[in-house]
Amino acid sequence: RGCFSKLFSTPGALDLHDLIVPVARMAVRSVLDDLAGRHENFKFTSKKGGLIIITGRGKGSVGGQPLIQPAIQALLSDEYAGIGCVQDPANPGRLVVDVTSPPRGSSSRGTVAPAAL
């Protein structure tokens, strides 16, 4: 994975800390499109049964407001209709995306999206 190895340093997770929003969106698209193209469970699935997307809580952002998490939630809602995504109740700086169900249906990007949580 070369220069992007930090993104996958936590098993079962995609770590978007320290990324700017456009790059974070691109990383999530890449992972989800790869998953959809293979029609199989993502190999980094966490113990929680889904892909953990670590967005952080926004502590390092100007004004302390999160930027990455709302952008990723909007991306999933707008471009991956039907994919399940919830904020991790144990850590509000993380999203849990359901990638364990067999893919079904088409998203608005023309890729197959996993079933909702």
Side-chain angles (χ1 to χ4, degrees), residues 2-114:
C3 63
F4 296 110
S5 61
K6 181 191 174 293
L7 296 177
F8 302 99
S9 62
T10 303
L14 175 63
D15 189 347
L16 304 178
H17 274 106
D18 303 323
L19 298 181
I20 60 173
V21 169
V23 175
R25 290 172 54 95
M26 193 174 7
V28 170
R29 279 188 187 116
S30 177
V31 168
L32 294 178
D33 288 351
D34 181 56
L35 167 65
R38 289 186 289 132
H39 300 285
E40 61 186 57
N41 292 342
F42 185 58
K43 67 182 175 182
F44 292 104
T45 299
S46 73
K47 292 178 182 177
K48 292 184 181 246
L51 170 66
I52 303 296
I53 299 178
I54 303 169
T55 62
R57 299 179 192 188
K59 292 179 181 178
S61 298
V62 175
Q65 296 298 311
L67 300 175
I68 294 175
Q69 189 170 101
I72 298 306
Q73 288 171 315
L75 170 78
L76 295 173
S77 174
D78 296 345
E79 298 181 20
Y80 295 90
I83 195 168
C85 174
V86 295
Q87 189 177 61
D88 185 340
N91 184 337
R94 295 175 177 221
L95 298 172
V96 182
V97 179
D98 181 10
V99 294
T100 59
S101 300
R104 69 167 193 197
S106 295
S107 76
S108 60
R109 284 179 50 85
T111 58
V112 178

